[in-house]
Amino acid sequence: MSKFEVPYKIYLDENEIPQSWYNVRADMKNKPAPLIHPGTLQPLKFEDMQPIFCDELIRQELDDVNPYIPIPQEVQDFYKMYRPSPLTHAVFLEKALDTPAHIFYKFEGNNTSGSHKLNSAIAQAYYAKKQGLKGVTTETGAGQWGTALSMACSYFGLDCKVFMVKVSYEQKPFRREVMRTYGASVTPSPSMDTNIGRKINEEFPGTTGSLGCAISEAVEAATSTPGYRYELGSVLNQVLLHQSIIGLETKAACDKYGIKPDIIIGCAGGGSNLGGLISPFMGEKLRGEADYQIIAVEPASCPSLTRGKFAYDFCDTGKVCPMAKMYTLGHDFIPSANHAGGLRYHGMSPVLSQLYHDGYMEARAVEQTSVFEAAVQFARVEGILPAPESSHAIRAAIDEALKCKETGEEKTIILGLTGTGYFDLKAYEQYNNGTMSDYIPTDEDLAKGFATIPDINL
Amino acid sequence: MSKFEVPYKIYLDENEIPQSWYNVRADMKNKPAPLIHPGTLQPLKFEDMQPIFCDELIRQELDDVNPYIPIPQEVQDFYKMYRPSPLTHAVFLEKALDTPAHIFYKFEGNNTSGSHKLNSAIAQAYYAKKQGLKGVTTETGAGQWGTALSMACSYFGLDCKVFMVKVSYEQKPFRREVMRTYGASVTPSPSMDTNIGRKINEEFPGTTGSLGCAISEAVEAATSTPGYRYELGSVLNQVLLHQSIIGLETKAACDKYGIKPDIIIGCAGGGSNLGGLISPFMGEKLRGEADYQIIAVEPASCPSLTRGKFAYDFCDTGKVCPMAKMYTLGHDFIPSANHAGGLRYHGMSPVLSQLYHDGYMEARAVEQTSVFEAAVQFARVEGILPAPESSHAIRAAIDEALKCKETGEEKTIILGLTGTGYFDLKAYEQYNNGTMSDYIPTDEDLAKGFATIPDINL
């Protein structure tokens, strides 16, 4: 493939935007393990989840049979606001690296939420509205998911109550302000508004919060308020389903222009972007129709895939949520304070965990100064200031492209560029000032988290 | 025209991106008055400008004859990074307003600088590089131009020294950090690095700076440093030339889909976006081939077109720059401290000033709480958080669409959406908290500025 046979940026036509999501579970021989009830250890049934999630979203959560789920027309209409997202040929980066590799990135940051999170937020808000609910609750860490859900709820006229990890609430007042502009209420977590929040504040005075704790608060707020449900932006099967739009568009663009990826790279926190990006490619791999090298990139400071245990664990700190079988660092694990940006969840999508366990993808952990080095290099040549999360994928893509330079291989690499770094400039400032540090937890550090993983063998 | 005959977002193909800029001066019967030397009052010649500007940019500044200037290949390559920008059919806004009007917006915010400023920055950096210069200096207020020039200089390996109005430097640390990420040096203005900066600091201790003052500093720094020139992001003829890419793309998209605008609306500070957006349409109007209602929208707190004088004035506070004939509030005019965002320049592009003076366009002033009201309405339905500057155009477009609702007219409105509001969330916070205020200068307030306009009749 010549470097210039395809347009620099591929925008699908509106009529080429996929009209169904793809459910990779339908093609998995080993299905992801079901969510279980922490008391009975029995798989959760539809009725068990009704107090927490919208009915239709529960059906999607439980569906591991149907490969395609039609995207409701109202959601398709909203997608038109910011989709299709471009698949961009990184010619400037290739030139800077002097590599024979071909690098493409699927950029999901061209919307006000600044990331791919909107793809699932609008679907979840739609089903909540359709069920006649009054509002939804959620948690947010770095702020991308909270912003996305605020936008989606504003569009459908739903209340949106966001519990924002306290440290982010304080360090990212502008993230908070975007959510408020979209009419959401934003509460720093742990708060004094919920039982679990009060309990955590009492046990750990001065705590700056964690994602696991904010999830507990949001779930409690949803289940204790009539007409509300809880919505989550990652980890869940339904989220990967909605995010498959990323991969489906990428695949359509590749097929249209004859691009054949060898390597597909995505960052992985809870798995929402990676799971969406790879889904149709993974489907081909699972069906034996094609092969791809698929790489999950995670922070060395929160290495759930590369150093975690594949086990049933709680999804939240307060243990109010169901348990999931996943790669986990233990539900009490909180990444080191010097960790910037998202990708700080202790667990991982059960779908991705199973696929990784079964050898369909690999994982690697990278340190944050090398991630920001890649981010700045990318920003300067490709003109997009990437989110710290996305920059993990950039790091790995650059590393692969440099390997190609050594071997002379013309591999085609696709990376998921999840979003922009406009709200992460504190971290860029640290990097620019040379004050950013790395942290790799020791085995002893991890052992403390592992000790909290319950001993369940199903 | 049915509301859905055109795609929601029109992206031109890469080969449809214009390859020449359009120079509206070629079609003006009354040419904009030349820049003059403040001492001799003589029109500046090429040699007079050489210490300040790059040679090729001076040629463009002086050229009021050639209608088309080819865009250098290197600049076209860079444009591909973020262009074509979409022309979006605002169907969600139309629905929310319940108007028979058709509203389109040309969105220039899909690049890391967050605005249209990059269109001229890359051209100016290119000519500086081509001339073998070491670096450039500039000023920035709200920060969009400084960010754009930093990105452009990084691309061509030029030094970039930015004087940032002190109040913005302090209130917008993240803007500064984006510039630093692109390798620029950023100095709060007035600084102690220049004679004029020291003088202003001495005369007005504790001053938070102004655009006019930062311009003086940047010009002094350029002319006193070998291998440097000064570059400016608005007002100048060359800037309107480069920004014509906005209008040319808009016109190409309109022609491709049979969209016939009745009204074209842009915000106006120094005129860079408005001048670019309207240029090919204005060309048709000047040549008598078509008619359009063209509306410049400016802040009521800085009303250069609607309440200023059409006269020769200094372009900067320190009077180190040439003088331009333009609508001006006086070179000492500084908008009220409660004014948020850009559009705070005391003057106006000489091209637009002449066109306005000759009746080819109209102008209106709007107050900022009504501007933010429009911004939030737009953000919620169209999914883009607009810059305060852009929101002036949104305000006027909504007003025109509501008039159509009353009269039943199906007018087609195109508005220039210059950029995103990610770095303006302090202002959104004020609006969300209900603490934003309006300010309209009294005639007495304006009289003080007018008193500083020199009495020159050429």
Side-chain angles (χ1 to χ4, degrees):
Chain A
M1 187 181 70
S2 143
K3 290 208 176 194
F4 289 93
E5 269 172 23
V6 298
Y8 174 60
K9 276 184 296 190
I10 305 173
Y11 282 105
L12 295 176
D13 293 337
E14 258 170 38
N15 56 20
E16 295 171 315
I17 301 182
Q19 300 187 339
S20 295
W21 292 303
Y22 167 64
N23 180 10
V24 73
R25 286 165 287 162
D27 285 312
M28 289 170 72
K29 258 170 279 175
N30 298 328
K31 306 292 181 188
L35 297 174
I36 61 170
H37 187 284
T40 66
L41 303 187
Q42 291 301 306
L44 287 189
K45 290 197 283 294
F46 182 84
E47 312 82 70
D48 300 325
M49 294 196 232
Q50 272 190 307
I52 304 180
F53 299 123
C54 305
D55 293 357
E56 190 57 34
L57 291 168
I58 302 172
R59 283 183 204 107
Q60 294 181 355
E61 192 64 28
L62 293 171
D63 183 350
D64 53 17
V65 178
N66 291 301
Y68 289 98
I69 314 278
I71 304 173
Q73 188 58 51
E74 291 85 342
V75 176
Q76 288 191 47
D77 288 347
F78 187 90
Y79 277 170
K80 279 188 194 164
M81 236 189 244
Y82 66 101
R83 307 204 68 84
S85 72
L87 180 69
T88 304
H89 189 181
V91 288
F92 299 93
L93 181 60
E94 290 173 10
K95 198 176 153 204
L97 298 173
D98 188 23
T99 174
H102 308 295
I103 308 173
F104 293 85
Y105 56 91
K106 180 70 171 169
F107 181 45
E108 293 288 319
N110 272 353
N111 70 75
T112 282
S113 81
S115 84
H116 67 292
K117 295 286 186 184
L118 200 50
N119 300 330
S120 184
I122 192 62
Q124 294 193 40
Y126 167 75
Y127 291 118
K129 185 69 183 180
K130 201 178 159 204
Q131 195 173 322
L133 297 176
K134 186 167 181 306
V136 298
T137 71
T138 197
E139 80 296 324
T140 200
Q144 295 172 335
W145 168 247
T147 310
L149 194 60
S150 302
M151 291 178 67
C153 286
S154 164
Y155 182 74
F156 284 123
L158 284 166
D159 286 352
C160 183
K161 186 167 179 58
V162 181
F163 290 87
M164 186 171 189
V165 177
K166 195 177 276 175
V167 61
S168 293
Y169 183 91
E170 284 161 3
Q171 287 182 357
K172 296 188 165 186
F174 295 163
R175 266 282 176 209
R176 180 191 69 210
E177 219 47 50
V178 182
M179 291 185 251
R180 288 184 68 211
T181 299
Y182 281 91
S185 81
V186 188
T187 307
S189 165
S191 75
M192 298 303 279
D193 293 2
T194 65
N195 291 326
I196 188 73
R198 285 186 290 269
K199 184 159 169 276
I200 292 173
N201 271 317
E202 196 174 310
E203 279 179 34
F204 307 97
T207 176
T208 54
S210 74
L211 214 46
C213 162
I215 293 175
S216 302
E217 286 209 273
V219 171
E220 182 186 323
T223 51
S224 62
T225 316
Y228 277 71
R229 291 294 185 284
Y230 167 70
E231 304 203 319
L232 177 64
S234 193
V235 183
L236 295 174
N237 299 336
Q238 59 188 264
V239 173
L240 266 70
L241 174 71
H242 306 148
Q243 295 294 357
S244 69
I245 188 83
I246 305 171
L248 292 166
E249 279 186 11
T250 304
K251 182 92 177 55
C254 285
D255 290 348
K256 186 169 177 178
Y257 288 96
I259 301 163
K260 293 192 194 312
D262 299 296
I263 309 176
I264 304 169
I265 300 174
C267 62
S272 65
N273 186 268
L274 178 71
L277 173 68
I278 66 173
S279 59
F281 301 98
M282 183 60 84
E284 290 185 299
K285 192 165 174 170
L286 288 165
R287 296 189 302 269
E289 297 164 7
D291 196 19
Y292 305 99
Q293 184 183 6
I294 295 173
I295 306 173
V297 192
E298 59 185 13
S301 56
C302 191
S304 52
L305 283 174
T306 50
R307 296 176 72 196
K309 291 198 186 308
F310 189 44
Y312 266 107
D313 193 8
F314 291 96
C315 294
D316 64 323
T317 310
K319 306 184 192 176
V320 302
C321 289
M323 300 173 83
K325 189 172 181 189
M326 57 186 176
Y327 280 84
T328 176
L329 297 163
H331 56 271
D332 276 349
F333 180 85
I334 297 178
S336 158
N338 75 343
H339 174 86
L343 310 183
R344 47 173 68 240
Y345 186 61
H346 68 273
M348 179 56 66
S349 142
V351 169
L352 293 182
S353 293
Q354 188 66 49
L355 290 167
Y356 177 62
H357 185 72
D358 292 344
Y360 287 102
M361 49 185 263
E362 55 196 87
R364 61 184 67 161
V366 290
E367 294 180 52
Q368 75 175 355
T369 48
S370 79
V371 165
F372 275 82
E373 187 191 338
V376 171
Q377 181 170 21
F378 184 88
R380 290 192 179 186
V381 296
E382 288 290 330
I384 293 172
L385 187 82
E389 296 83 6
S390 324
S391 306
H392 287 70
I394 296 172
R395 173 74 275 162
I398 290 177
D399 291 344
E400 290 300 319
L402 292 176
K403 276 187 213 163
C404 287
K405 188 178 174 181
E406 279 180 27
T407 63
E409 289 173 289
E410 284 197 38
K411 286 186 180 171
T412 295
I413 301 167
I414 293 182
L415 75 100
L417 196 72
T418 60
T420 59
Y422 293 122
F423 295 99
D424 301 285
L425 283 155
K426 268 271 169 228
Y428 274 96
E429 185 178 19
Q430 285 176 356
Y431 178 79
N432 291 335
N433 290 341
T435 57
M436 176 170 277
S437 56
D438 288 321
Y439 175 73
I440 304 180
T442 63
D443 288 342
E444 290 69 40
D445 293 333
L446 293 186
K448 288 177 210 161
F450 292 152
T452 68
I453 301 175
D455 189 20
I456 295 169
N457 263 309
L458 294 181
Chain B
M1 188 181 69
S2 142
K3 291 209 174 192
F4 291 92
E5 269 171 23
V6 298
Y8 173 60
K9 277 185 297 193
I10 304 173
Y11 283 104
L12 295 176
D13 293 337
E14 259 172 37
N15 56 20
E16 295 170 315
I17 301 183
Q19 300 187 340
S20 294
W21 293 302
Y22 167 65
N23 180 8
V24 73
R25 285 165 287 163
D27 285 311
M28 289 171 71
K29 257 170 281 178
N30 298 328
K31 307 291 183 190
L35 297 174
I36 61 170
H37 188 283
T40 65
L41 303 188
Q42 291 301 305
L44 288 189
K45 289 198 283 294
F46 182 84
E47 314 80 72
D48 301 325
M49 295 196 231
Q50 273 191 307
I52 303 180
F53 299 124
C54 305
D55 293 356
E56 189 57 35
L57 291 168
I58 301 173
R59 284 183 202 106
Q60 294 181 355
E61 192 64 27
L62 293 171
D63 182 350
D64 54 17
V65 177
N66 291 301
Y68 290 97
I69 314 279
I71 304 173
Q73 188 58 51
E74 291 86 342
V75 176
Q76 288 191 46
D77 287 347
F78 187 91
Y79 277 170
K80 280 189 193 164
M81 235 188 247
Y82 67 100
R83 308 203 68 83
S85 73
L87 180 68
T88 303
H89 188 181
V91 288
F92 299 93
L93 180 61
E94 290 173 9
K95 197 175 151 201
L97 298 173
D98 188 23
T99 174
H102 309 295
I103 308 172
F104 293 84
Y105 55 92
K106 180 71 170 167
F107 180 46
E108 293 288 318
N110 272 352
N111 70 76
T112 282
S113 80
S115 84
H116 67 291
K117 295 285 186 185
L118 200 51
N119 301 329
S120 185
I122 192 62
Q124 295 192 40
Y126 168 75
Y127 292 117
K129 184 70 182 178
K130 200 178 161 204
Q131 195 173 324
L133 297 177
K134 186 168 182 302
V136 299
T137 72
T138 197
E139 80 296 325
T140 200
Q144 294 172 335
W145 169 246
T147 310
L149 194 61
S150 303
M151 289 178 68
C153 286
S154 164
Y155 183 74
F156 283 122
L158 284 166
D159 286 352
C160 182
K161 186 166 178 60
V162 181
F163 290 88
M164 186 170 188
V165 177
K166 195 176 275 175
V167 61
S168 293
Y169 183 90
E170 285 162 3
Q171 287 180 358
K172 294 188 164 186
F174 293 163
R175 265 282 175 211
R176 180 191 70 210
E177 221 42 61
V178 181
M179 291 185 253
R180 288 184 69 212
T181 299
Y182 281 91
S185 81
V186 188
T187 307
S189 166
S191 74
M192 298 304 279
D193 293 3
T194 65
N195 292 327
I196 188 72
R198 286 186 288 270
K199 183 161 170 274
I200 291 173
N201 270 316
E202 196 175 310
E203 279 179 35
F204 308 97
T207 176
T208 54
S210 73
L211 214 48
C213 163
I215 293 174
S216 303
E217 286 209 274
V219 171
E220 182 186 324
T223 51
S224 61
T225 316
Y228 277 70
R229 292 294 184 284
Y230 166 70
E231 306 205 317
L232 177 63
S234 194
V235 183
L236 295 174
N237 299 337
Q238 59 189 262
V239 174
L240 266 70
L241 174 70
H242 306 148
Q243 294 295 358
S244 69
I245 188 81
I246 305 171
L248 292 165
E249 279 186 11
T250 304
K251 181 92 177 55
C254 285
D255 290 349
K256 186 170 176 177
Y257 288 96
I259 301 163
K260 295 193 193 309
D262 300 294
I263 310 176
I264 303 169
I265 300 174
C267 61
S272 65
N273 185 268
L274 179 72
L277 174 67
I278 65 174
S279 59
F281 301 99
M282 183 60 84
E284 290 186 299
K285 192 164 174 169
L286 289 165
R287 297 189 303 269
E289 296 164 7
D291 197 19
Y292 304 99
Q293 185 183 5
I294 294 173
I295 307 173
V297 191
E298 59 185 14
S301 55
C302 191
S304 52
L305 284 173
T306 50
R307 297 175 70 195
K309 292 199 186 307
F310 189 45
Y312 266 108
D313 193 7
F314 291 97
C315 294
D316 64 323
T317 311
K319 306 185 193 176
V320 302
C321 289
M323 300 174 83
K325 189 172 181 189
M326 57 186 177
Y327 280 85
T328 176
L329 297 164
H331 57 272
D332 276 349
F333 180 85
I334 296 179
S336 157
N338 75 345
H339 173 87
L343 310 182
R344 46 174 69 238
Y345 186 61
H346 68 272
M348 178 58 66
S349 143
V351 170
L352 293 182
S353 293
Q354 189 65 49
L355 290 168
Y356 177 61
H357 185 71
D358 292 343
Y360 287 102
M361 50 185 261
E362 54 195 88
R364 61 184 68 161
V366 290
E367 294 180 52
Q368 74 174 357
T369 48
S370 79
V371 165
F372 275 82
E373 187 191 339
V376 171
Q377 181 170 22
F378 183 88
R380 290 192 180 188
V381 296
E382 288 291 329
I384 292 172
L385 188 80
E389 296 82 5
S390 325
S391 306
H392 287 71
I394 296 172
R395 171 75 275 160
I398 289 177
D399 290 345
E400 289 300 318
L402 291 176
K403 276 187 213 161
C404 288
K405 187 177 173 181
E406 278 180 28
T407 62
E409 288 174 290
E410 284 197 37
K411 286 187 181 172
T412 295
I413 302 167
I414 292 182
L415 76 101
L417 196 71
T418 60
T420 59
Y422 293 122
F423 295 99
D424 302 285
L425 282 154
K426 267 271 170 230
Y428 274 96
E429 184 178 20
Q430 286 175 357
Y431 178 78
N432 291 334
N433 289 342
T435 57
M436 176 170 275
S437 57
D438 289 321
Y439 174 74
I440 304 180
T442 63
D443 288 343
E444 290 71 37
D445 293 332
L446 293 186
K448 288 177 209 162
F450 293 151
T452 68
I453 301 175
D455 189 19
I456 294 169
N457 263 310
L458 294 180

